Amino acid sequence: MRNLHRKESQQEARERSLSLSHPKMVGADDSHGADPATYDRYRELKRFDESQAGVKGLADSGIARLPRFFLRPPEDIAADRHCSGPAAPAGLAAPAGLEIPVIDLGSLAAGGRPAAVARVLEAAREVGFFQVVNHGIPESVLEGVLAAAGAFHELPAEVKAGYYSREMGRKVKFTSNFDLYESKHANWRDTLFCVMGPEPLDPLELPLVCRDMMMEYSRQVKALGTTLFELLSEALGLKPDHLLKMDCTKGHALLGHYYPACPEPDLTMGTTKHSDPDFLTILLQDQIGGLQIYYRDQWVDVPPVAGALVVNIGDLLQLMSNDIFKSVWHRVLANHVGPRLSVACFFTLHLYPTTRMYGPIKEILSEDRPALYQETSLREFITYYDSKGLDGTSALTHFRLVK
Ligand code: OGA
Ligand code: NI
């Protein structure tokens, strides 16, 4: 409500006045058979970047074939076939043997806490991923924030271009492929990236179309994060507030992802396999599906469950838990059907000038269980992760004491 008595900003006026105009066409190399002798990959990446229209700009221009820099290299596709049987097209059922655990948080106060802690421990240790239901965030808020993120991505390209950036330090930015110039191939995904804390974000920095919903979701998902870090602390045999005292919920970023319908989904990826560079991620996905985790040499679907949120352990929590919790690889398949929307909440102190060092928690170490990692600051960790890009290796290896 606090925004009612304020004059409309220039950016908002542009959003309104342009809302009927048409997205600009971005020039695309629409033949992936282009002559290798004359193909200038850097020039094509730059052209895409400078369009500031993201993947949605390409999709809207009506291309039938992917620009070449989106193509997965043949060795990637072959490796996939090797480890997951068939090349796991979108919608393929999970291999027998694993279902992503679904944990009910509805009865924590009514005696259900020990059982929930046990399930969280098992899921975080064995799978690294679980879904939560009865988590306290109303469905109207979940639907609202997905719709709001979608509405941002569906603004005219000219308006979104005002937010487009690759700057590390920007708190609110529209970006496509943060590792565009480093990765082996681009992903079929755009992102609205918003750092919501520790320093409270001025709501006016958020695009008007998603401002109120992002602020509301941020507040609610932070409260859920607090509950989860308490359960995770207990799962490690620590006091409930142990991870909170280590500032695990002090900051978070919201990432509103948009995966447009893809003309050649088998040739690219929505998101290349990666693990998350944070303490913990709470992910809200819509009903389209495509998220998979790598489990025992197989890609396993994380099926959309209505009203549920997906929770996964990030690299930093694997490091702090000395490998008790697992930060596992996951990816998102591209799909003929779209757009697919998701909103990820990364608990991290991204950009915050903390000097706190993070290493394996002393209380869980012993002679039999020596520290497996060196300590690192968040800045050092994130800088390393970003410089590496999503190259299919784990950033944790870099910080491991025994390689
Ligand atoms: C991420 C992520 C999955 C999705 O943001 O790190 O893995 O479904 N997102 O968008
Ligand atoms: Ni992720």
Side-chain angles (χ1 to χ4, degrees):
M1 288 302 111
R2 82 191 79 156
N3 304 325
L4 280 179
H5 305 292
R6 195 177 44 78
K7 270 176 61 188
E8 185 174 53
S9 74
Q10 271 186 346
Q11 181 67 38
E12 288 160 10
R14 284 183 70 208
E15 282 181 31
R16 248 186 343 95
S17 69
L18 285 166
S19 63
L20 292 174
S21 70
H22 203 265
K24 74 174 169 237
M25 303 271 284
V26 282
D29 163 23
D30 65 357
S31 154
H32 36 78
D35 179 1
T38 57
Y39 182 70
D40 183 342
R41 180 184 167 85
Y42 180 75
R43 193 189 62 204
E44 293 305 317
L45 292 176
K46 202 136 179 65
R47 193 144 71 111
F48 169 72
D49 196 11
E50 286 172 356
S51 80
Q52 303 193 323
V55 169
K56 183 169 189 297
L58 289 174
D60 288 348
S61 72
I63 54 163
R65 305 194 71 191
L66 294 180
R68 181 160 158 176
F69 60 84
F70 282 94
L71 303 188
R72 298 176 73 194
E75 64 272 18
D76 258 39
I77 296 176
D80 227 37
R81 216 167 265 129
H82 166 73
C83 66
S84 60
L92 198 81
L98 176 76
E99 278 184 25
I100 309 297
V102 177
I103 302 180
D104 189 341
L105 300 182
S107 56
L108 294 185
R113 196 169 183 95
V117 170
R119 293 217 65 204
V120 164
L121 173 61
E122 192 191 344
R125 187 167 58 189
E126 182 60 24
V127 189
F129 261 75
F130 52 97
Q131 310 217 40
V132 289
V133 292
N134 296 319
H135 43 62
I137 306 185
E139 284 207 42
S140 58
V141 173
L142 303 183
E143 280 162 20
V145 76
L146 275 179
F152 170 79
H153 288 283
E154 274 153 23
L155 286 170
E158 292 86 344
V159 178
K160 286 195 293 176
Y163 292 95
Y164 192 86
S165 172
R166 286 191 183 281
E167 270 171 56
M168 269 284 272
R170 274 276 286 265
K171 282 192 170 181
V172 174
K173 64 188 174 190
F174 163 50
T175 192
S176 186
N177 286 279
F178 78 92
D179 58 349
L180 183 69
Y181 295 100
E182 291 86 34
S183 63
K184 279 201 266 180
H185 71 91
N187 286 171
W188 197 255
R189 168 176 92 163
D190 294 332
T191 300
L192 174 65
F193 177 86
C194 314
V195 177
M196 309 300 293
E199 285 148 353
L201 180 70
D202 178 353
L204 299 186
E205 290 196 42
L206 288 167
L208 178 62
V209 275
C210 58
R211 183 176 299 157
D212 291 352
M213 278 316 306
M214 291 291 244
M215 292 305 292
E216 178 61 18
Y217 185 67
S218 168
R219 197 176 61 71
Q220 299 215 21
V221 81
K222 181 175 175 182
L224 174 59
T226 302
T227 302
L228 289 167
F229 279 110
E230 287 171 350
L231 296 171
L232 287 159
S233 298
E234 290 175 60
L236 290 172
L238 302 166
K239 293 211 181 82
D241 62 356
H242 195 103
L243 291 168
L244 303 179
K245 283 196 172 144
M246 295 184 80
D247 294 344
C248 289
T249 52
K250 192 166 174 178
H252 66 273
L254 292 181
L255 287 77
H257 297 306
Y258 188 92
Y259 301 83
C262 181
E264 296 183 300
D266 297 340
L267 302 184
T268 190
M269 271 289 154
T271 308
T272 298
K273 84 170 178 188
H274 67 284
S275 56
D276 291 349
D278 58 355
F279 299 117
L280 189 78
T281 305
I282 299 179
L283 178 87
L284 167 62
Q285 62 169 336
D286 70 10
Q287 293 301 307
I288 290 187
L291 174 63
Q292 298 185 319
I293 68 163
Y294 194 63
Y295 180 77
R296 299 198 180 163
D297 289 344
Q298 295 213 301
W299 285 105
V300 177
D301 289 339
V302 182
V305 171
L309 288 159
V310 177
V311 180
N312 66 281
I313 303 296
D315 287 347
L316 288 162
L317 203 50
Q318 175 168 340
L319 181 145
M320 288 155 70
S321 72
N322 209 35
D323 279 355
I324 294 179
F325 297 155
K326 308 296 186 308
S327 169
V328 304
W329 279 336
H330 51 285
R331 67 181 188 183
V332 180
L333 301 176
N335 197 326
H336 275 299
V337 180
R340 174 182 184 272
L341 291 165
S342 67
V343 176
C345 174
F346 276 36
F347 286 93
T348 175
L349 294 167
H350 198 82
L351 304 179
Y352 190 68
T354 171
T355 50
R356 188 168 197 144
M357 297 298 283
Y358 287 89
I361 295 171
K362 301 273 183 306
E363 287 81 347
I364 60 173
L365 300 179
S366 64
E367 236 173 82
D368 301 340
R369 289 183 173 199
L372 299 173
Y373 297 96
Q374 68 188 67
E375 293 196 321
T376 175
S377 69
L378 289 181
R379 181 160 297 249
E380 180 189 23
F381 185 82
I382 300 287
T383 306
Y384 177 73
Y385 186 98
D386 281 351
S387 69
K388 195 175 72 61
L390 302 187
D391 65 353
T393 67
S394 169
L396 277 179
T397 311
H398 182 75
F399 298 94
R400 202 174 261 284
L401 288 170
V402 185
K403 307 241 166 158

